[in-house]
Amino acid sequence: MKNLIHEIHRRSLWQVLGIYLAGSWVALQVVEQLAEAAALPDWVRPFSLALLVLGFPIVMATAFVQEGLSTKAQEAPKQSLADVGEVPPPPAPDPVGHQRLLTWRNAMMGGVLAFAVLGLGTFAFMAMRTAGIGPAGTLVAKGVLDARAGVIVADFESTADDPGLAQAATLALRTDLSQSQVITVLEPSEIAGVLQRMQRSPDEPLTPELARDAATREGVPAVVEGEITAAGGAYVVAARLIGTETGDVLVSERARASDEAELLDAIDELSGALRSRIGESYSVLRAEPPLETVTTTSLPALRKYTEAIRAIEAEGQPERGVALLEEAIALDPEFAMAWRKLGVELGNRRENAARRVQAMTRAFELRDRLTPIERYMTMASYYTGVTNEADRAITAYENLLDLDPTNSAALNNLGQAYYALRDFERAEENYLLGAAVDSSNSIPFTNAVNVQLDLGKLSEADTMQSRTERLFPGDPWVTEMRAGLQAGRGDDAAAVETTEALRDELIGNLFWRSRTSRSLAALRAMRGKLAAAEEELRQAINTDRQRGLPGEVLEEVLTTAQFDIWVRRDPARGLARLESALIETPLETIDPLDRPYPFLINVFAVAGRPDRASDLLAELESTLPDEAKRGMEWDVLRARGMIALAEDRYDEALDLLRRSDRGGCPQCAAALIGPILDEAGRTEEAIAAYTTYNEMPASLKYHFDAVFAGHTLERLGELYDETGDFGNAARYYAAFVELWSDADAELQPRVRAAQTRLDAIMAEIG
């Protein structure tokens, strides 16, 4: 310190200025590092800057005074050695008041003291905040709210003429609050489930009063209420956190926007203030991007997105929701959340693959504009829905769950990723966790039922289905699962009745009209009622033409061609049907990603046209992008296997089919391995493979049984008969006769042949 003061004494005024500015820069960098490392409040930085600004005139005044004193000392007359001792030098004059005050020691000690006071004040504030003491204490620290407590965001109220403004503000605040690591914001789908249990319409406005009623019913401890006040073109946005039980205002904050363009900034400021008061770490708040990059800089686009979310999650109108998302994207082509939601919704509906891949890819490219949770969700969706990389998807979901361990969507989707890897136990575990943390979303419940069937846990599946139906009365996905369970237990008459009732209930919904028609076609074809099945498929074809989905139409024609080839055993008829469909709907008129290449290849190969199948495979390889080819890797392996089968390369066909036996379709390869071994004359192995497929439990297996159930049972009876195992032959002949007892007249000769042989065996073995 003495050396530093001595050096400063020797410097000129300009040198002191340079030293002070350099020292201030170093001090601010130290403060910045401390603020980041210790998660200090944002006001530490401006206070530090203010202290340095206040210190600047003091330092400069001190330099001026001290330089003046130094100059006077240098100008004082010097005495010779001879003079010393003759006349004593006059005593040095005492410094005046400001000279005594403006010393370098005082300046340095004052700066140290000022920063010490700032440090002590910051420490005291943080200690009070953490301990929940006084006004600095957060709600979580005070015990007013538990960590990860649920919060419902009510619809904003507005004095502005535009009601869409309040809706957009509500969504924007909910989006930003959902990033919090100390509270859990209920999603619209969850709130819709609560309202249904309250016997209220899910699409009615969520007023503060209704939000508090819902929160009371569900045990949610707090509700956020907000309002927008318009005044002369400017807006004041206010939000309050209300305790559900007491109705007390726990936190109240407001922000101002000079016009609509600044509203998103104001909401970002508002949500940050709310989260800070609740107990969010300053480091978390600083690490997140501002709201306008999380959502969109276009308020009209945000309004469309808001309407889309309500249409999809609350009103059950997915078609309208998809259209609104498209409008939002048109208004803001870099609206990452809208791209992501569009891809997810199209993926859930398993349609329009080209648009789905485009949407998921675009969202992935814009992922840095999303919240951390949404970023990981988008990455995982891309890895599962585009590039077929389940391992990378699992890593993304696990990173997301580190941030939000109770994220139901992530838990469910993690289960889906494990399902794709055939790790059914871990899939079930995550589905059940997802259902436990969110009792308003039916998807993890129905997925749990499905995987329990795959695991052979029939009793658990029935119990879970019953619970699901109590929680979600009228949910079409739950009703569809009920039909699957009925079919799986052999009661396909009940499954038909359930599916017909579902179609009648949702007759105006084109998606469900098509889906239920396909299901009814499968249930009827399984029983050998091909004419009725084809009539159902014609309804699906007409519906999908209305929807503008030529790829879906072609798939439905391919299904009828499969009936010809596998069920009627008339490949020529199937080929003629297929060629006619390709003339009516040429592949060139369908987006490459929507062309059902693997399905086409399989049907041409089994119908005895491996040349056409090979041409289509080459077209697939040359037309589709690498990401899309990775996404259908297993389907392509199966297609190659069917070409090998058609060319009598049985060992290669088996190898390809077994390599393709991955992903979330346990029946896809299993249904085909038996016929390959059968064609190769490997009877014992064929019997084992046919038996494996026949005994596979699955809720929606009847879609495969439509084509393969009759063939499998009939061939098992015949193969056991050929090997002299008459007991098992009788067993499977009887099962085949029962399955096709009411089959179409064209199939009855085979039923009678099986019955005749069954009677002969029974007479022979008694």
Side-chain angles (χ1 to χ4, degrees), residues 321-390:
V322 167
L324 287 165
L325 288 170
E326 296 280 15
E327 291 180 34
I329 289 168
L331 290 166
D332 179 6
E334 295 191 345
F335 193 168
M337 286 178 65
W339 281 114
R340 175 191 168 275
K341 187 64 177 176
L342 178 63
V344 168
E345 185 58 25
L346 292 175
N348 288 340
R349 295 157 64 81
R350 297 178 178 86
E351 64 184 30
N352 203 334
R355 187 57 169 158
R356 172 181 57 80
V357 169
Q358 180 195 19
M360 287 186 170
T361 302
R362 187 63 180 135
F364 184 78
E365 292 168 349
L366 296 168
R367 62 192 180 278
D368 290 339
R369 299 168 63 87
L370 295 170
T371 69
I373 287 175
E374 289 167 333
R375 185 184 313 127
Y376 285 126
M377 189 74 79
T378 297
M379 292 166 62
S381 297
Y382 178 78
Y383 295 140
T384 54
V386 179
T387 62
N388 195 25
E389 297 174 283

Side-chain angles (χ1 to χ4, degrees), residues 630-702:
R630 283 201 300 270
M632 58 175 63
E633 174 187 359
W634 305 323
D635 292 327
V636 171
L637 283 172
R638 279 191 290 275
R640 290 181 183 278
M642 299 315 291
I643 292 173
L645 172 63
E647 295 175 345
D648 298 335
R649 292 180 281 118
Y650 300 118
D651 289 339
E652 183 180 348
L654 281 171
D655 176 65
L656 288 164
L657 262 292
R658 285 168 174 157
R659 284 167 52 197
S660 78
D661 193 17
R662 292 176 288 165
C665 180
Q667 300 85 28
C668 286
L672 297 168
I673 289 175
I676 293 175
L677 290 163
D678 199 357
E679 284 284 325
R682 295 158 64 170
T683 301
E684 290 186 4
E685 293 175 78
I687 288 174
Y690 277 131
T691 303
T692 296
Y693 170 76
N694 184 61
E695 295 177 354
M696 289 182 77
S699 63
L700 301 179
K701 184 181 171 226
Y702 63 86

Side-chain angles (χ1 to χ4, degrees), residues 4-14 16 57-75 94-108:
L4 179 60
I5 293 173
H6 176 71
E7 286 299 314
I8 291 175
H9 269 297
R10 298 176 59 246
R11 306 300 173 189
S12 70
L13 197 63
W14 292 108
V16 170
I58 296 173
V59 167
M60 296 310 296
T62 300
F64 180 79
V65 169
Q66 294 301 319
E67 187 173 9
L69 290 175
S70 176
T71 302
K72 287 180 181 179
Q74 291 174 4
E75 292 175 351
D94 293 333
V96 297
H98 70 277
Q99 293 173 339
R100 287 196 301 270
L101 181 63
L102 296 174
T103 67
W104 286 119
R105 181 181 296 275
N106 289 345
M108 304 235 6

Side-chain angles (χ1 to χ4, degrees), residues 211-235:
R212 285 196 292 271
D213 288 347
T216 300
R217 178 185 179 93
E218 294 299 305
V220 176
V223 171
V224 176
E225 302 175 1
E227 60 188 23
I228 298 178
T229 304
Y235 299 91

